Amino acid sequence: MIRPLADPPSQSLHRILRRTDVFSELSNTEIQALSAELEWMSLPADETLFQKGDAGDSLFITVSGRLEAFDPEAPPEQRVWGRVMPGELVGEMAILTGDPRRATVRALRDSVLLRLTKARFLQLVERNPRMLLSLSRLLLERIEEATSLERKAPLRPLIALAPITRGARVDALARRLSTELASFGPTLAVHAADVMDAIGVDVAEAELGTAAHQKLVRWLQDEESRREAILLLADAENTPWTRFCIRQADSVLLVADVRDMPGGTGASDLLQRHGRSATGDRRELVLVHPDATKLPRGTRRWLDAFPVDSHHHVRLGERADIRRLSRYLTGRAVALALSGGAARGFAHVGVIRAFEETGIPVDLVCGTSMGALFGGLLALGWSYGQIAEAGHEAFVKSSIFDITLPLVSALSGKRLEQFLERCFGDAQIEDLWLRYFCMACNLSSAVPVRIRRGSAGKAIRSSSSVPGLFAPVNRDGQLLVDGLFLNNLPAELAKKEARGRTVAVNVIQAADPKLWSPLARGGGPVSQAARMINPFKGQWVPPIMELVMQCFFLSTIHASERVRKMVDLYIEPRMERFGFLEAKAFDEAALAGYEAAKPQLEEWLRSDPEVARL
């Protein structure tokens, strides 16, 4: 809980208030008078400042630390309203409106605050109406942050690395991670011993509220303002330094050597015993594999032992793995969302080729139906060449279309399942090198289903179960069909999860009026059939399944403009000339995807210097 600060810092209140937008235009006399009204307060990490529904009797200025405002009654994806950084106000709206607090505010780090009573604040506003303009601007910024799609990573994050197995090579990971983070800006790695060398503070004596603690927090805050990122290397045991690192961190990396059993350190016991708050630091599992590892295995046991926001697979000798982790930690991850589209989805193979040739990384990939398939192969660690070869073999040299007695579906799906077995074997989604999910639809509850765990092959089979072509899949009691009906291009989910940049690839366009106009001319089945088979009777008439498939994708077309505005890069290869079931056009369709994506990615590289640094 919040308490008076026993040993207030010697910082100048005048300077602190001048840095606060709302008070920046007060006269020196008013600043001096205001300073006399302020109370120094201390709020430990994960403690609550006030709760939703409380009366608004004070506002607070954040001097150091970090707070987060959230609505505990909102759905998880809408719960967090925003973060309160040093120099910012919190609690002022309830004072202005007279309403109860609209959100709960909790400390993400050990924080020092200045409290101002309601009566004194209202007197200041009455004498300085311009303060209301600053408050209005602050309110609009917070509304925008609360309604934005992604929860942004801090610009300059504090990252704690905590070993959760005895063999975890935290120092080696920190060295490599520091090297990669340094390409984005100055980075600092801090052990407990470094604190004594830097500021003469013994971390064992820096208890919350003491002068030593305040000195340590201020030193970190000063370093943070000059650094791209700071790595806090926690001890293996449950020491004061370990607890301090976890309390201060924006992200806590739980570092494990996969050859060990989960747990076995004081840090792991601390993290398991106390868990994490619903809104506080991000907890991310980093599983360190031997460099020769082809595909991770057994990830589920780690996720069951340590509930986390996300997990990463890294090999210390693979720079690409460490660099991918650095992008995630600094809000620079690249997400790739691939739409469904039956045979038109072959274009995704060409898009993957364009990414590979331009050197733009993919950190998260997701998709629906055919997008789920090729996205899954990319997440598996396959190169463009391997994916193209597998696709050519499956769709050109052979066929996944195995006709059966059409009671539930026209195709048995056995060939598709055999193809998925050859590609993925028993790989689980959580074992893939890249973060991955795919979309399906639940026939029982009529909701979209995001599949993030379990058998990769079965997940893709579920996402590809086009009604009428393939039978539904029973997965954990859910009857699943192709995700195209409710979320054929999951770009919004990808954007929220990656917290970086998002590229969406849509292979679905509206029906070409010239191509489909024969349908509008009507006629009975005989005249339609004559036009279909007689080249001298006019234009092509789409077969029945092409018409049905085009109707399936109407929601994708309807949502395309919204998705285009939402993402950082939108790629839409023109695929109307390819039939939805034209499997033998694999190579040509893949080339169309490549020719659409390559120039857009090259322009993205030229126009955005940050992309070139990824």
Side-chain angles (χ1 to χ4, degrees), residues 90-155:
V90 63
E92 74 287 348
M93 293 314 300
I95 289 179
L96 287 174
T97 63
D99 296 331
R101 304 284 192 190
R102 297 182 180 181
T104 296
V105 173
R106 175 183 291 157
L108 298 179
R109 302 182 185 175
D110 294 342
S111 300
V112 173
L113 311 171
L114 291 166
R115 179 161 65 184
L116 180 63
T117 64
K118 177 178 181 178
R120 183 62 178 134
F121 177 70
L122 292 178
Q123 288 173 8
L124 281 171
V125 170
E126 185 176 349
R127 289 201 300 266
N128 299 273
R130 285 179 298 179
M131 288 177 59
L132 289 176
L133 294 177
S134 298
L135 286 169
S136 299
R137 184 168 59 248
L138 175 64
L139 176 60
L140 289 173
E141 290 172 354
R142 289 183 177 172
I143 291 173
E144 183 179 354
E145 183 176 2
T147 57
S148 66
L149 286 173
E150 74 276 18
R151 180 180 172 184
K152 298 180 177 65
L155 268 178

Side-chain angles (χ1 to χ4, degrees), residues 180-251:
E180 298 306 326
L181 289 169
S183 67
F184 302 132
T187 303
L188 178 67
V190 183
H191 292 80
D194 299 325
V195 177
M196 176 62 76
D197 295 339
I199 58 174
V201 169
D202 182 349
V203 295
E205 299 176 356
E207 295 296 338
L208 186 66
T210 64
H213 180 273
Q214 289 305 313
K215 187 175 182 180
L216 176 53
V217 169
R218 287 198 301 274
W219 175 71
L220 272 181
Q221 186 174 318
D222 290 341
E223 290 294 334
E224 190 178 9
S225 68
R226 297 194 294 266
R227 310 280 181 173
E228 179 65 29
I230 295 179
L231 305 180
L232 303 176
L233 280 69
D235 300 326
E237 299 308 321
N238 181 1
T239 63
W241 172 246
T242 296
R243 294 191 293 273
F244 178 84
C245 292
I246 293 172
R247 285 203 312 271
Q248 301 310 309
D250 299 304
S251 296

Side-chain angles (χ1 to χ4, degrees), residues 535-571:
F536 302 104
K537 285 290 185 179
Q539 294 171 309
W540 170 83
V541 174
I544 184 172
M545 279 308 298
E546 291 292 322
L547 177 59
V548 171
M549 293 291 289
Q550 186 69 34
C551 293
F552 281 173
F553 291 113
L554 287 177
S555 62
T556 306
I557 299 166
H558 180 72
S560 61
E561 192 57 33
R562 181 179 62 86
V563 173
R564 185 192 303 271
K565 294 176 181 178
M566 175 197 312
V567 299
D568 298 275
L569 185 65
Y570 182 82
I571 300 172

Side-chain angles (χ1 to χ4, degrees), residues 22-335:
V22 175
F23 303 122
S24 61
E25 297 185 5
L26 296 180
S27 69
N28 289 334
T29 301
E30 289 170 325
I31 288 284
Q32 186 175 1
L34 175 60
S35 299
E37 301 289 336
L38 296 171
E39 298 175 78
W40 287 95
M41 309 299 293
S42 172
L43 184 66
D46 209 33
E47 293 287 334
T48 298
L49 178 61
F50 52 74
Q51 295 183 336
K52 180 179 179 179
D54 287 353
D57 59 356
S58 302
L59 65 80
F60 300 86
I61 305 167
T62 310
V63 178
S64 64
R66 190 166 291 174
L67 311 176
E68 188 165 62
F70 66 98
D71 183 350
E73 300 170 1
E77 66 276 7
Q78 300 172 6
R79 187 166 296 166
V80 177
W81 285 21
R83 292 187 171 184
V84 185
M85 310 297 285
E88 295 182 348
L89 291 184
V90 63
E92 74 287 348
M93 293 314 300
I95 289 179
L96 287 174
T97 63
D99 296 331
R101 304 284 192 190
R102 297 182 180 181
T104 296
V105 173
R106 175 183 291 157
L108 298 179
R109 302 182 185 175
D110 294 342
S111 300
V112 173
L113 311 171
L114 291 166
R115 179 161 65 184
L116 180 63
T117 64
K118 177 178 181 178
R120 183 62 178 134
F121 177 70
L122 292 178
Q123 288 173 8
L124 281 171
V125 170
E126 185 176 349
R127 289 201 300 266
N128 299 273
R130 285 179 298 179
M131 288 177 59
L132 289 176
L133 294 177
S134 298
L135 286 169
S136 299
R137 184 168 59 248
L138 175 64
L139 176 60
L140 289 173
E141 290 172 354
R142 289 183 177 172
I143 291 173
E144 183 179 354
E145 183 176 2
T147 57
S148 66
L149 286 173
E150 74 276 18
R151 180 180 172 184
K152 298 180 177 65
L155 268 178
R156 296 181 171 87
L158 277 175
I159 303 161
L161 285 75
I164 60 169
T165 66
R166 290 292 175 186
R169 299 172 60 191
V170 170
D171 284 340
L173 175 62
R175 285 195 300 272
R176 288 162 175 78
L177 189 55
S178 293
T179 299
E180 298 306 326
L181 289 169
S183 67
F184 302 132
T187 303
L188 178 67
V190 183
H191 292 80
D194 299 325
V195 177
M196 176 62 76
D197 295 339
I199 58 174
V201 169
D202 182 349
V203 295
E205 299 176 356
E207 295 296 338
L208 186 66
T210 64
H213 180 273
Q214 289 305 313
K215 187 175 182 180
L216 176 53
V217 169
R218 287 198 301 274
W219 175 71
L220 272 181
Q221 186 174 318
D222 290 341
E223 290 294 334
E224 190 178 9
S225 68
R226 297 194 294 266
R227 310 280 181 173
E228 179 65 29
I230 295 179
L231 305 180
L232 303 176
L233 280 69
D235 300 326
E237 299 308 321
N238 181 1
T239 63
W241 172 246
T242 296
R243 294 191 293 273
F244 178 84
C245 292
I246 293 172
R247 285 203 312 271
Q248 301 310 309
D250 299 304
S251 296
V252 179
L253 303 187
L254 285 66
V255 184
D257 187 313
V258 296
R259 293 168 292 191
D260 296 335
M261 293 297 293
T265 70
S268 65
D269 293 342
L270 174 67
L271 290 163
Q272 285 180 310
R273 185 166 64 251
H274 291 288
R276 61 180 296 275
S277 68
T279 64
D281 59 78
R282 285 183 60 84
R283 302 236 169 141
E284 309 198 28
L285 178 64
V286 179
L287 297 174
V288 181
H289 301 267
D291 289 349
T293 302
K294 299 299 182 184
L295 184 68
R297 301 286 182 186
T299 305
R300 176 169 294 182
R301 64 176 179 143
W302 294 96
L303 296 176
D304 289 343
F306 295 94
V308 290
D309 294 285
S310 60
H311 68 281
H312 309 270
H313 296 290
V314 302
R315 294 156 290 188
L316 294 179
E318 289 289 335
R319 184 188 177 197
D321 292 355
I322 308 298
R323 193 151 186 84
R324 179 170 63 248
L325 178 59
S326 73
R327 287 191 294 270
Y328 268 116
L329 293 174
T330 58
R332 292 179 169 90
V334 178

